[in-house]
């Protein structure tokens, strides 16, 4: 196969930052995706509808005039998020869910939830208003091994939460382990998961090849090869609970390449191309459209897109860095080859 035409995909988990950095980033996603679920972990976090509305307007202003792109907004859950906040989100028409960050779990999560019991009233409201809960699923107890944080979170928080709120739709974001795949496979209706290109293509060895590789550092961190294979099996299966979410997370080069580097992999410049590579390696290119353009829309209760994109099997190489306002942004596969290329849309 030398070309692949699929329905225009959506990104169900995306970071675009803000300000001048946002202007540099949004066009990459708008060129490839029709919609994206925008993460709310700015500083300050997007905790109320008026903040989400203003952020959405800034994103739309950064979309090139020749492209159509819809940002799907989320609120940042805190210990004090109220039912009124969530009712306003439901009524807005552009906020589709709220994100659970355990406090201290990842970038800009310091305002996150300190104990899951603190947000039970908010989760009850989300269940009533049919807002989707997006979950960063890692335990933050310092005694938990970093490679076990996802597994422990499932046991301590996510499994009991899904049982306590049986009508709450939950997306277990950027899963990384066999245990997470098994949990979603066995979970009740209304529980799904997103998978990133880096977790489908890399295992934890990639963090150390030729020395420390800070641009491969993300949270949740890359896991074992057996975990990667379990993720590939899930993504390429016929199980509609697994769908695309890049977790593309831009950071300036100097914030990644230092003694306390930021967590995040920037993949928006080649996201759908990277997924195509992973599906091709698995011998399942014919299933990419379902994963990238059908399952997420169905889960969120949104119409599938009707336009198409075309990918060509042609090797290209991202530059060593992209401009990121006054900074540099090192992309995934910088200076290395990618086997698929976006060539047209209609």
């Amino acid at each position: 196969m030398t070309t692949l035409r699929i329905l225009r995909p959506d990104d169900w988990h995306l970071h675009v930052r803000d300000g001048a950095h946002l202007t540099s980033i949004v066009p990459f996603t708008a060129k490839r995706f029709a919609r994206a679920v925008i993460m709310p972990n700015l500083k300050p976090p997007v905790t109320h509808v008026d903040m989400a509305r203003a952020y959405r307007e800034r994103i739309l202003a950064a979309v090139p005039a020749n492209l159509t792109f819809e940002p799907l907004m989320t609120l940042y859950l805190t210990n004090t998020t109220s039912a009124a906040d969530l009712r306003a989100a439901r009524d807005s028409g552009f906020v589709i869910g709220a994100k659970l960050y355990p406090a201290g779990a990842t970038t800009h999560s310091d305002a996150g939830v300190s104990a899951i019991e603190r947000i039970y009233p908010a989760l009850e409201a989300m269940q009533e208003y049919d807002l989707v809960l997006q979950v960063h699923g890692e335990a933050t107890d310092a005694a938990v091994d970093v490679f076990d944080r996802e597994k422990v979170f499932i046991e301590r928080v996510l499994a009991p939460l899904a049982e306590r709120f049986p009508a709450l739709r939950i997306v277990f974001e950027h899963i990384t382990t066999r245990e997470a795949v098994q949990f979603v496979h066995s979970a009740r209706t209304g529980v799904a998961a997103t998978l990133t290109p880096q977790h489908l293509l890399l295992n934890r060895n990639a963090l150390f090849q030729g020395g420390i590789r800070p641009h491969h550092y993300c949270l949740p961190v890359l896991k074992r090869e057996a975990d990667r294979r379990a993720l590939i099996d899930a993504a390429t299966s016929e199980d509609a609970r697994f769908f695309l979410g890049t977790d593309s997370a831009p950071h300036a080069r100097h914030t990644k390449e230092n003694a306390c580097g930021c967590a995040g992999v920037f993949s928006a410049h080649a996201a759908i191309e990277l997924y195509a590579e992973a599906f091709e390696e698995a011998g399942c290119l014919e299933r990419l459209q379902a994963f990238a353009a059908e399952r997420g829309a169905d889960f969120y209760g949104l119409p599938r897109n009707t336009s198409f994109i075309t990918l060509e099997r042609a090797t290209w190489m991202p530059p060593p860095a992209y401009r990121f306002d006054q900074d540099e942004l090192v992309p995934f596969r910088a200076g290395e080859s990618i086997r698929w290329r976006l060539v047209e849309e209609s």
Side-chain angles (χ1 to χ4, degrees), residues 1-5 310-313 340 343:
M1 182 181 294
T2 58
T3 62
L4 178 66
R5 187 172 185 260
T310 299
L311 299 174
E312 178 184 36
R313 200 180 192 288
W340 288 86
V343 292

Side-chain angles (χ1 to χ4, degrees), residues 60-76:
L60 288 171
V63 177
N66 64 322
L67 298 175
T68 301
F69 173 73
E70 181 183 4
L72 304 171
M73 308 308 292
T74 59
L75 299 187
Y76 184 117

Side-chain angles (χ1 to χ4, degrees), residues 3-10 30-34 271-273 288-289 292-293 306-312 341-346:
T3 62
L4 178 66
R5 187 172 185 260
I6 63 170
L7 285 175
R8 189 172 176 85
D10 300 303
K31 184 177 180 181
R32 290 164 174 81
F33 297 93
I272 192 63
E273 299 95 317
L288 179 61
Q289 176 173 291
T306 56
S307 61
F308 289 82
I309 63 167
T310 299
L311 299 174
E312 178 184 36
R341 181 174 62 190
L342 182 69
V343 292
E344 66 179 67
E345 58 182 78
S346 60

Side-chain angles (χ1 to χ4, degrees), residues 7 14-15 24 27 43 49 57 68 93 96 126 154 194 200 203 206-207 210 246 252 295 303 308 313 326:
L7 285 175
L14 179 68
H15 301 267
S24 303
K43 276 194 170 293
V49 167
E57 291 173 355
T68 301
I96 63 168
M126 291 185 66
I154 294 168
T194 56
L200 293 180
N203 63 36
L207 291 166
T246 65
R295 297 173 183 172
F308 289 82
R313 200 180 192 288
Q326 301 303 310

Side-chain angles (χ1 to χ4, degrees), residues 14-340:
L14 179 68
H15 301 267
V16 294
R17 308 309 181 205
D18 207 355
H21 285 159
L22 178 153
T23 303
S24 303
I25 293 305
V26 169
F28 288 112
T29 293
K31 184 177 180 181
R32 290 164 174 81
F33 297 93
R35 299 171 290 206
V37 175
I38 306 298
M39 292 297 104
N41 59 331
L42 304 182
K43 276 194 170 293
V46 179
T47 53
H48 297 90
V49 167
D50 57 344
M51 300 173 74
R53 180 182 292 106
Y55 189 27
R56 179 176 182 270
E57 291 173 355
R58 296 194 295 275
I59 294 168
L60 288 171
V63 177
N66 64 322
L67 298 175
T68 301
F69 173 73
E70 181 183 4
L72 304 171
M73 308 308 292
T74 59
L75 299 187
Y76 184 117
L77 288 172
T78 72
N79 290 340
T80 59
T81 301
S82 70
D85 294 329
L86 295 163
R87 184 170 58 251
R90 188 273 313 273
D91 293 344
S92 73
F94 57 83
V95 176
I96 63 168
K99 180 68 181 285
L100 168 60
Y101 289 104
T106 189
T107 303
H108 297 170
S109 62
D110 46 297
V113 174
S114 60
I116 194 66
E117 296 82 6
R118 300 286 297 272
I119 63 165
Y120 279 173
L123 297 178
E124 289 172 357
M126 291 185 66
Q127 182 172 247
E128 178 182 352
Y129 302 140
D130 196 27
L131 291 169
V132 176
L133 176 67
Q134 294 93 13
V135 178
H136 183 110
E138 291 192 281
T140 56
D141 184 342
V144 177
D145 187 285
V146 66
F147 293 105
D148 294 329
R149 288 170 62 172
E150 190 170 87
K151 174 184 176 182
V152 171
F153 183 87
I154 294 168
E155 297 168 351
R156 294 181 181 177
V157 178
L158 190 55
L161 185 152
E163 182 177 352
R164 185 182 183 95
F165 300 97
L168 179 64
R169 286 188 291 161
I170 300 170
V171 178
F172 192 0
E173 301 286 9
H174 44 53
I175 62 170
T176 65
T177 60
R178 289 174 294 177
E179 289 83 4
V181 170
Q182 291 163 1
F183 169 76
V184 176
H185 273 313
S186 63
R188 62 161 173 80
T189 300
V191 175
T194 56
L195 298 104
T196 77
Q198 67 265 23
H199 290 110
L200 293 180
L201 291 166
L202 304 176
N203 63 36
R204 63 187 184 181
N205 289 342
L207 291 166
F208 309 107
Q209 289 172 343
I212 298 294
R213 300 288 295 274
H215 297 285
H216 287 164
Y217 171 54
C218 57
L219 289 173
V221 71
L222 300 170
K223 300 298 195 303
R224 302 163 181 83
E225 175 62 11
D227 294 302
R228 188 190 73 85
R229 290 184 178 276
L231 300 179
I232 286 287
D233 289 344
T236 60
S237 73
E238 296 183 358
D239 192 331
R241 290 170 290 188
F242 299 97
F243 46 84
L244 185 155
T246 65
D247 193 26
S248 180
H251 293 279
R253 181 197 289 270
H254 71 272
T255 67
K256 293 284 290 179
E257 298 176 3
N258 66 42
C260 189
C262 293
V265 171
F266 176 68
S267 61
H269 67 296
I272 192 63
E273 299 95 317
L274 291 163
Y275 282 112
E277 188 172 299
F279 273 65
E280 182 182 41
E281 288 179 354
C284 296
L285 265 176
E286 73 282 359
R287 294 184 180 174
L288 179 61
Q289 176 173 291
F291 174 80
E294 298 175 3
R295 297 173 183 172
D298 295 348
F299 181 86
Y300 275 90
L302 296 173
R304 295 177 182 179
N305 299 315
T306 56
S307 61
F308 289 82
I309 63 167
T310 299
L311 299 174
E312 178 184 36
R313 200 180 192 288
T315 299
W316 65 286
M317 186 178 297
Y322 290 106
R323 184 174 178 179
F324 193 45
D325 187 27
Q326 301 303 310
D327 302 311
E328 286 190 334
L329 172 63
V330 178
F332 189 30
R333 291 276 183 85
E336 301 176 15
S337 63
I338 296 175
R339 293 198 299 270
W340 288 86

